[in-house]
Amino acid sequence: MSILEVENITFSYGGEKLYQKASMRLFEGEHAVLVGPNGTGKTTLLKLLDKSISPDQGTISWIPNKKIGYLDQYAKINPNLLVKTYLYDAFLPLFEKEKEMERLYESLVIAPEKEHERILNWASTLGDQLIESDFYAIKSKVGNIIHGLGLTMDLLEEPIKHLSGGMRAKIILGKLLLEESDILLLDEPTNFLDVRHIEWLTKFLINYPKAFLVVSHHEEFLMDIANTVFALENGTITRYKGDYEYYLKERELRIEQQQKAFVSQQKFIQKTEEFIQKNITRAKTTKRAQSRRKMLAKIDKIVAPKHDKTYHFHFPLSSTTGKDVLSIENLEIGYLEPLLEPLNIDILKQEKAVITGKNGIGKSTFIKTILGIVPELGGSYRWIDTAKIAYFAQDSKFEDGLTPFQIVHHRYQHFTKKEVMSLLGNHGINFDMANRDINTLSGGEQTKVRLALLRHQKGNVLILDEPTNHLDVNAKEALKEALMSYEGTLILVSHEKEFYQDICDYEISLYDV
């Protein structure tokens, strides 16, 4: 049975038409994923389905009385709330029911005897409802999800304001999973998860008895969880009834067929137009030419298939360094207390190292410490004198009102307008995107702008903190190739093994320290 009907929706954002009479249906219990390159409107579609925004035209209809859970990692929540208060809010109706049951039992003391049976029956009914709802297993459920997402139970007593960005995103995801909605809408749920916790989420979703629609660029994750794929293509939503691997093969086949049909039709149109041009002025053949002109006017034109964007990422080297690029001795990182045991690491010229470890363990703090952004708590680190560092931060944000063109032009003021547009174009940012408010662009498009800013820094040490978050498949592949070709020293923070394993010489696991 269909639980969602999207009929002929049209939606424009920042002057760009994202959908043109797009339609889709989601069925009861269907495990679906939504795919497409950055900027095609995947996050926007989830917001439309959640009714946070409305389409310009068309309708979106959910079956009545269904609970929809939407993952918004940037949701505003009270920073002073304890984590447990925020999480247990998912069970607030059950806690209210428990309070009512306790109130009924307490009222027996003062209630007339003739009311006792009625009160006992009602309290007993509430108790049965709590048991049926697994109310008394709530702590176990919370513990399962807390541990599954790589957090610890002592975090429940912490105020939300003390959490890192990754931990906060996990708490929001955890609450959503606890609520057991009839339909889950998840936007990039793996962005802040490392490998083992992605595996846990994968199993959770595979066994989820209800429907979900997930947006992700993590291909291995998509292959494991999907039995239906919705692809945003040319302003429409195309349904592929099969897993992600089926989608990749079928899409390639459809593009090939569409290309052949397009070429064939263009040949037919050209041949027909030549016939019309030759015969329209001849008395004997003018009626035939007019007939063909009318036929040509009515023909449904086949659109040439759009090919995936190509990217030209590159990180040029300004100069070389000596052998010992970074020396770390007994370094203690953290804020009030050390997050880890003292670190001893040596990174040499042209080595490529990946920093791994669960969220909250201190990967970004480590990077910020060796960059001098966060003071060390003990020990020391030393960069070679010739090190020139180019840095991509995980949580960097842009000021409202600025366009990508303005941002890049401010960084490289000697660039001509053409050079700025060329740089942005190489990173997948077209003219329209380049002249929009940066904060109206998707997460993937903003990441590409930030990568464009690194292009001409010409350092000899490149530090990237989770650069693949939000990036589509083709952009990731282009970034991987650029990093493999990079001739300087690379320090990469990443949770995507399939991304970093071909790039890096070795792994520095913060699990093991």
PDB file of all heavy atoms in Angstrom, residues 450-476:
ATOM      1  N   ARG A 450      34.873  25.367  -0.746  1.00  0.00           N
ATOM      2  CA  ARG A 450      35.985  25.356   0.215  1.00  0.00           C
ATOM      3  C   ARG A 450      37.215  24.665  -0.373  1.00  0.00           C
ATOM      4  O   ARG A 450      38.351  25.074  -0.133  1.00  0.00           O
ATOM      5  CB  ARG A 450      35.544  24.687   1.510  1.00  0.00           C
ATOM      6  CG  ARG A 450      34.489  25.510   2.267  1.00  0.00           C
ATOM      7  CD  ARG A 450      33.853  24.706   3.378  1.00  0.00           C
ATOM      8  NE  ARG A 450      34.837  24.256   4.330  1.00  0.00           N
ATOM      9  CZ  ARG A 450      34.695  23.175   5.089  1.00  0.00           C
ATOM     10  NH1 ARG A 450      33.601  22.433   4.989  1.00  0.00           N
ATOM     11  NH2 ARG A 450      35.616  22.840   5.944  1.00  0.00           N
ATOM     12  N   LEU A 451      36.993  23.615  -1.172  1.00  0.00           N
ATOM     13  CA  LEU A 451      38.120  22.951  -1.840  1.00  0.00           C
ATOM     14  C   LEU A 451      38.729  23.860  -2.901  1.00  0.00           C
ATOM     15  O   LEU A 451      39.946  23.867  -3.101  1.00  0.00           O
ATOM     16  CB  LEU A 451      37.659  21.630  -2.464  1.00  0.00           C
ATOM     17  CG  LEU A 451      37.349  20.506  -1.469  1.00  0.00           C
ATOM     18  CD1 LEU A 451      36.659  19.338  -2.176  1.00  0.00           C
ATOM     19  CD2 LEU A 451      38.618  20.012  -0.774  1.00  0.00           C
ATOM     20  N   ALA A 452      37.875  24.648  -3.561  1.00  0.00           N
ATOM     21  CA  ALA A 452      38.374  25.597  -4.566  1.00  0.00           C
ATOM     22  C   ALA A 452      39.306  26.619  -3.925  1.00  0.00           C
ATOM     23  O   ALA A 452      40.298  27.054  -4.527  1.00  0.00           O
ATOM     24  CB  ALA A 452      37.209  26.295  -5.257  1.00  0.00           C
ATOM     25  N   LEU A 453      38.996  27.014  -2.682  1.00  0.00           N
ATOM     26  CA  LEU A 453      39.833  27.998  -1.974  1.00  0.00           C
ATOM     27  C   LEU A 453      41.235  27.463  -1.691  1.00  0.00           C
ATOM     28  O   LEU A 453      42.179  28.235  -1.493  1.00  0.00           O
ATOM     29  CB  LEU A 453      39.158  28.407  -0.657  1.00  0.00           C
ATOM     30  CG  LEU A 453      37.881  29.236  -0.788  1.00  0.00           C
ATOM     31  CD1 LEU A 453      37.212  29.388   0.575  1.00  0.00           C
ATOM     32  CD2 LEU A 453      38.176  30.607  -1.388  1.00  0.00           C
ATOM     33  N   LEU A 454      41.391  26.127  -1.653  1.00  0.00           N
ATOM     34  CA  LEU A 454      42.701  25.529  -1.384  1.00  0.00           C
ATOM     35  C   LEU A 454      43.574  25.455  -2.625  1.00  0.00           C
ATOM     36  O   LEU A 454      44.789  25.277  -2.528  1.00  0.00           O
ATOM     37  CB  LEU A 454      42.525  24.105  -0.833  1.00  0.00           C
ATOM     38  CG  LEU A 454      41.945  23.938   0.567  1.00  0.00           C
ATOM     39  CD1 LEU A 454      41.822  22.455   0.895  1.00  0.00           C
ATOM     40  CD2 LEU A 454      42.816  24.620   1.607  1.00  0.00           C
ATOM     41  N   ARG A 455      42.940  25.578  -3.801  1.00  0.00           N
ATOM     42  CA  ARG A 455      43.625  25.290  -5.068  1.00  0.00           C
ATOM     43  C   ARG A 455      44.918  26.085  -5.240  1.00  0.00           C
ATOM     44  O   ARG A 455      45.932  25.558  -5.698  1.00  0.00           O
ATOM     45  CB  ARG A 455      42.653  25.574  -6.225  1.00  0.00           C
ATOM     46  CG  ARG A 455      43.241  25.455  -7.631  1.00  0.00           C
ATOM     47  CD  ARG A 455      43.530  23.995  -7.987  1.00  0.00           C
ATOM     48  NE  ARG A 455      43.829  23.851  -9.395  1.00  0.00           N
ATOM     49  CZ  ARG A 455      42.973  23.400 -10.299  1.00  0.00           C
ATOM     50  NH1 ARG A 455      41.741  23.075  -9.942  1.00  0.00           N
ATOM     51  NH2 ARG A 455      43.336  23.254 -11.543  1.00  0.00           N
ATOM     52  N   HIS A 456      44.890  27.360  -4.870  1.00  0.00           N
ATOM     53  CA  HIS A 456      46.048  28.212  -5.143  1.00  0.00           C
ATOM     54  C   HIS A 456      46.791  28.647  -3.879  1.00  0.00           C
ATOM     55  O   HIS A 456      47.528  29.636  -3.902  1.00  0.00           O
ATOM     56  CB  HIS A 456      45.607  29.427  -5.959  1.00  0.00           C
ATOM     57  CG  HIS A 456      45.140  29.058  -7.337  1.00  0.00           C
ATOM     58  ND1 HIS A 456      45.993  28.733  -8.357  1.00  0.00           N
ATOM     59  CD2 HIS A 456      43.881  28.920  -7.832  1.00  0.00           C
ATOM     60  CE1 HIS A 456      45.299  28.428  -9.435  1.00  0.00           C
ATOM     61  NE2 HIS A 456      44.021  28.535  -9.142  1.00  0.00           N
ATOM     62  N   GLN A 457      46.587  27.892  -2.782  1.00  0.00           N
ATOM     63  CA  GLN A 457      47.366  28.192  -1.579  1.00  0.00           C
ATOM     64  C   GLN A 457      48.812  27.737  -1.732  1.00  0.00           C
ATOM     65  O   GLN A 457      49.708  28.249  -1.077  1.00  0.00           O
ATOM     66  CB  GLN A 457      46.728  27.530  -0.348  1.00  0.00           C
ATOM     67  CG  GLN A 457      45.500  28.275   0.141  1.00  0.00           C
ATOM     68  CD  GLN A 457      45.138  27.900   1.566  1.00  0.00           C
ATOM     69  OE1 GLN A 457      45.992  27.541   2.365  1.00  0.00           O
ATOM     70  NE2 GLN A 457      43.857  27.986   1.883  1.00  0.00           N
ATOM     71  N   LYS A 458      49.008  26.738  -2.584  1.00  0.00           N
ATOM     72  CA  LYS A 458      50.355  26.271  -2.920  1.00  0.00           C
ATOM     73  C   LYS A 458      51.194  25.963  -1.685  1.00  0.00           C
ATOM     74  O   LYS A 458      52.320  26.444  -1.536  1.00  0.00           O
ATOM     75  CB  LYS A 458      51.069  27.297  -3.808  1.00  0.00           C
ATOM     76  CG  LYS A 458      50.385  27.480  -5.163  1.00  0.00           C
ATOM     77  CD  LYS A 458      51.132  28.460  -6.037  1.00  0.00           C
ATOM     78  CE  LYS A 458      50.445  28.628  -7.377  1.00  0.00           C
ATOM     79  NZ  LYS A 458      51.125  29.618  -8.244  1.00  0.00           N
ATOM     80  N   GLY A 459      50.618  25.170  -0.797  1.00  0.00           N
ATOM     81  CA  GLY A 459      51.378  24.730   0.370  1.00  0.00           C
ATOM     82  C   GLY A 459      52.195  23.497   0.042  1.00  0.00           C
ATOM     83  O   GLY A 459      52.221  23.012  -1.090  1.00  0.00           O
ATOM     84  N   ASN A 460      52.866  22.963   1.057  1.00  0.00           N
ATOM     85  CA  ASN A 460      53.558  21.681   0.881  1.00  0.00           C
ATOM     86  C   ASN A 460      53.110  20.667   1.935  1.00  0.00           C
ATOM     87  O   ASN A 460      53.593  19.544   1.972  1.00  0.00           O
ATOM     88  CB  ASN A 460      55.083  21.854   0.888  1.00  0.00           C
ATOM     89  CG  ASN A 460      55.559  22.697   2.060  1.00  0.00           C
ATOM     90  OD1 ASN A 460      54.959  22.685   3.143  1.00  0.00           O
ATOM     91  ND2 ASN A 460      56.644  23.446   1.849  1.00  0.00           N
ATOM     92  N   VAL A 461      52.188  21.106   2.812  1.00  0.00           N
ATOM     93  CA  VAL A 461      51.531  20.208   3.767  1.00  0.00           C
ATOM     94  C   VAL A 461      50.026  20.474   3.660  1.00  0.00           C
ATOM     95  O   VAL A 461      49.574  21.594   3.820  1.00  0.00           O
ATOM     96  CB  VAL A 461      51.993  20.465   5.217  1.00  0.00           C
ATOM     97  CG1 VAL A 461      51.233  19.534   6.176  1.00  0.00           C
ATOM     98  CG2 VAL A 461      53.490  20.252   5.352  1.00  0.00           C
ATOM     99  N   LEU A 462      49.291  19.421   3.374  1.00  0.00           N
ATOM    100  CA  LEU A 462      47.842  19.544   3.193  1.00  0.00           C
ATOM    101  C   LEU A 462      47.152  18.797   4.339  1.00  0.00           C
ATOM    102  O   LEU A 462      47.421  17.611   4.563  1.00  0.00           O
ATOM    103  CB  LEU A 462      47.449  18.939   1.851  1.00  0.00           C
ATOM    104  CG  LEU A 462      45.999  19.067   1.380  1.00  0.00           C
ATOM    105  CD1 LEU A 462      45.580  20.532   1.294  1.00  0.00           C
ATOM    106  CD2 LEU A 462      45.811  18.377   0.034  1.00  0.00           C
ATOM    107  N   ILE A 463      46.290  19.504   5.082  1.00  0.00           N
ATOM    108  CA  ILE A 463      45.549  18.897   6.191  1.00  0.00           C
ATOM    109  C   ILE A 463      44.061  18.998   5.885  1.00  0.00           C
ATOM    110  O   ILE A 463      43.524  20.107   5.752  1.00  0.00           O
ATOM    111  CB  ILE A 463      45.870  19.600   7.531  1.00  0.00           C
ATOM    112  CG1 ILE A 463      47.364  19.481   7.843  1.00  0.00           C
ATOM    113  CG2 ILE A 463      45.041  18.989   8.660  1.00  0.00           C
ATOM    114  CD1 ILE A 463      47.770  20.162   9.142  1.00  0.00           C
ATOM    115  N   LEU A 464      43.411  17.856   5.758  1.00  0.00           N
ATOM    116  CA  LEU A 464      41.984  17.811   5.415  1.00  0.00           C
ATOM    117  C   LEU A 464      41.224  17.060   6.501  1.00  0.00           C
ATOM    118  O   LEU A 464      41.505  15.897   6.773  1.00  0.00           O
ATOM    119  CB  LEU A 464      41.768  17.112   4.073  1.00  0.00           C
ATOM    120  CG  LEU A 464      42.518  17.659   2.860  1.00  0.00           C
ATOM    121  CD1 LEU A 464      42.217  16.815   1.627  1.00  0.00           C
ATOM    122  CD2 LEU A 464      42.156  19.107   2.602  1.00  0.00           C
ATOM    123  N   ASP A 465      40.240  17.732   7.114  1.00  0.00           N
ATOM    124  CA  ASP A 465      39.432  17.125   8.181  1.00  0.00           C
ATOM    125  C   ASP A 465      38.052  16.768   7.623  1.00  0.00           C
ATOM    126  O   ASP A 465      37.218  17.636   7.402  1.00  0.00           O
ATOM    127  CB  ASP A 465      39.304  18.114   9.347  1.00  0.00           C
ATOM    128  CG  ASP A 465      38.696  17.465  10.601  1.00  0.00           C
ATOM    129  OD1 ASP A 465      38.290  16.293  10.524  1.00  0.00           O
ATOM    130  OD2 ASP A 465      38.624  18.146  11.631  1.00  0.00           O
ATOM    131  N   GLU A 466      37.832  15.485   7.362  1.00  0.00           N
ATOM    132  CA  GLU A 466      36.564  14.953   6.819  1.00  0.00           C
ATOM    133  C   GLU A 466      36.116  15.715   5.565  1.00  0.00           C
ATOM    134  O   GLU A 466      35.020  16.263   5.508  1.00  0.00           O
ATOM    135  CB  GLU A 466      35.465  14.998   7.891  1.00  0.00           C
ATOM    136  CG  GLU A 466      35.734  14.142   9.113  1.00  0.00           C
ATOM    137  CD  GLU A 466      35.572  12.642   8.849  1.00  0.00           C
ATOM    138  OE1 GLU A 466      35.399  12.231   7.679  1.00  0.00           O
ATOM    139  OE2 GLU A 466      35.625  11.870   9.824  1.00  0.00           O
ATOM    140  N   PRO A 467      36.927  15.735   4.516  1.00  0.00           N
ATOM    141  CA  PRO A 467      36.564  16.504   3.314  1.00  0.00           C
ATOM    142  C   PRO A 467      35.453  15.871   2.486  1.00  0.00           C
ATOM    143  O   PRO A 467      34.884  16.541   1.622  1.00  0.00           O
ATOM    144  CB  PRO A 467      37.879  16.538   2.524  1.00  0.00           C
ATOM    145  CG  PRO A 467      38.562  15.259   2.910  1.00  0.00           C
ATOM    146  CD  PRO A 467      38.229  15.058   4.360  1.00  0.00           C
ATOM    147  N   THR A 468      35.149  14.572   2.709  1.00  0.00           N
ATOM    148  CA  THR A 468      34.160  13.898   1.851  1.00  0.00           C
ATOM    149  C   THR A 468      32.726  14.040   2.347  1.00  0.00           C
ATOM    150  O   THR A 468      31.799  13.637   1.649  1.00  0.00           O
ATOM    151  CB  THR A 468      34.487  12.396   1.724  1.00  0.00           C
ATOM    152  OG1 THR A 468      34.467  11.793   3.030  1.00  0.00           O
ATOM    153  CG2 THR A 468      35.841  12.184   1.089  1.00  0.00           C
ATOM    154  N   ASN A 469      32.529  14.611   3.548  1.00  0.00           N
ATOM    155  CA  ASN A 469      31.159  14.810   4.029  1.00  0.00           C
ATOM    156  C   ASN A 469      30.372  15.629   3.005  1.00  0.00           C
ATOM    157  O   ASN A 469      30.806  16.699   2.610  1.00  0.00           O
ATOM    158  CB  ASN A 469      31.157  15.536   5.384  1.00  0.00           C
ATOM    159  CG  ASN A 469      31.499  14.613   6.532  1.00  0.00           C
ATOM    160  OD1 ASN A 469      31.632  13.400   6.354  1.00  0.00           O
ATOM    161  ND2 ASN A 469      31.644  15.164   7.716  1.00  0.00           N
ATOM    162  N   HIS A 470      29.245  15.124   2.595  1.00  0.00           N
ATOM    163  CA  HIS A 470      28.327  15.787   1.653  1.00  0.00           C
ATOM    164  C   HIS A 470      28.721  15.641   0.186  1.00  0.00           C
ATOM    165  O   HIS A 470      27.920  15.987  -0.689  1.00  0.00           O
ATOM    166  CB  HIS A 470      28.162  17.280   1.962  1.00  0.00           C
ATOM    167  CG  HIS A 470      27.737  17.586   3.366  1.00  0.00           C
ATOM    168  ND1 HIS A 470      26.482  17.259   3.843  1.00  0.00           N
ATOM    169  CD2 HIS A 470      28.384  18.184   4.395  1.00  0.00           C
ATOM    170  CE1 HIS A 470      26.389  17.654   5.099  1.00  0.00           C
ATOM    171  NE2 HIS A 470      27.525  18.205   5.463  1.00  0.00           N
ATOM    172  N   LEU A 471      29.927  15.181  -0.130  1.00  0.00           N
ATOM    173  CA  LEU A 471      30.336  15.123  -1.535  1.00  0.00           C
ATOM    174  C   LEU A 471      29.664  13.972  -2.268  1.00  0.00           C
ATOM    175  O   LEU A 471      29.559  12.856  -1.747  1.00  0.00           O
ATOM    176  CB  LEU A 471      31.856  14.954  -1.650  1.00  0.00           C
ATOM    177  CG  LEU A 471      32.731  16.183  -1.414  1.00  0.00           C
ATOM    178  CD1 LEU A 471      34.174  15.839  -1.713  1.00  0.00           C
ATOM    179  CD2 LEU A 471      32.283  17.382  -2.237  1.00  0.00           C
ATOM    180  N   ASP A 472      29.233  14.224  -3.525  1.00  0.00           N
ATOM    181  CA  ASP A 472      28.656  13.151  -4.331  1.00  0.00           C
ATOM    182  C   ASP A 472      29.761  12.222  -4.827  1.00  0.00           C
ATOM    183  O   ASP A 472      30.962  12.493  -4.682  1.00  0.00           O
ATOM    184  CB  ASP A 472      27.824  13.716  -5.491  1.00  0.00           C
ATOM    185  CG  ASP A 472      28.612  14.623  -6.421  1.00  0.00           C
ATOM    186  OD1 ASP A 472      29.693  14.216  -6.863  1.00  0.00           O
ATOM    187  OD2 ASP A 472      28.139  15.739  -6.705  1.00  0.00           O
ATOM    188  N   VAL A 473      29.340  11.116  -5.425  1.00  0.00           N
ATOM    189  CA  VAL A 473      30.271  10.037  -5.779  1.00  0.00           C
ATOM    190  C   VAL A 473      31.360  10.511  -6.732  1.00  0.00           C
ATOM    191  O   VAL A 473      32.552  10.223  -6.539  1.00  0.00           O
ATOM    192  CB  VAL A 473      29.490   8.852  -6.399  1.00  0.00           C
ATOM    193  CG1 VAL A 473      30.446   7.794  -6.921  1.00  0.00           C
ATOM    194  CG2 VAL A 473      28.533   8.248  -5.374  1.00  0.00           C
ATOM    195  N   ASN A 474      30.984  11.249  -7.778  1.00  0.00           N
ATOM    196  CA  ASN A 474      31.976  11.686  -8.766  1.00  0.00           C
ATOM    197  C   ASN A 474      32.964  12.683  -8.169  1.00  0.00           C
ATOM    198  O   ASN A 474      34.153  12.671  -8.503  1.00  0.00           O
ATOM    199  CB  ASN A 474      31.270  12.315  -9.972  1.00  0.00           C
ATOM    200  CG  ASN A 474      30.504  11.271 -10.766  1.00  0.00           C
ATOM    201  OD1 ASN A 474      30.897  10.128 -10.820  1.00  0.00           O
ATOM    202  ND2 ASN A 474      29.401  11.665 -11.359  1.00  0.00           N
ATOM    203  N   ALA A 475      32.474  13.564  -7.303  1.00  0.00           N
ATOM    204  CA  ALA A 475      33.367  14.532  -6.660  1.00  0.00           C
ATOM    205  C   ALA A 475      34.358  13.818  -5.742  1.00  0.00           C
ATOM    206  O   ALA A 475      35.539  14.177  -5.672  1.00  0.00           O
ATOM    207  CB  ALA A 475      32.558  15.559  -5.882  1.00  0.00           C
ATOM    208  N   LYS A 476      33.862  12.798  -5.021  1.00  0.00           N
ATOM    209  CA  LYS A 476      34.768  12.019  -4.149  1.00  0.00           C
ATOM    210  C   LYS A 476      35.874  11.361  -4.964  1.00  0.00           C
ATOM    211  O   LYS A 476      37.038  11.346  -4.556  1.00  0.00           O
ATOM    212  CB  LYS A 476      33.975  10.922  -3.421  1.00  0.00           C
ATOM    213  CG  LYS A 476      33.314  11.344  -2.145  1.00  0.00           C
ATOM    214  CD  LYS A 476      32.734  10.117  -1.479  1.00  0.00           C
ATOM    215  CE  LYS A 476      31.715  10.510  -0.436  1.00  0.00           C
ATOM    216  NZ  LYS A 476      31.078   9.344   0.174  1.00  0.00           N
TER     217      LYS A 476
END
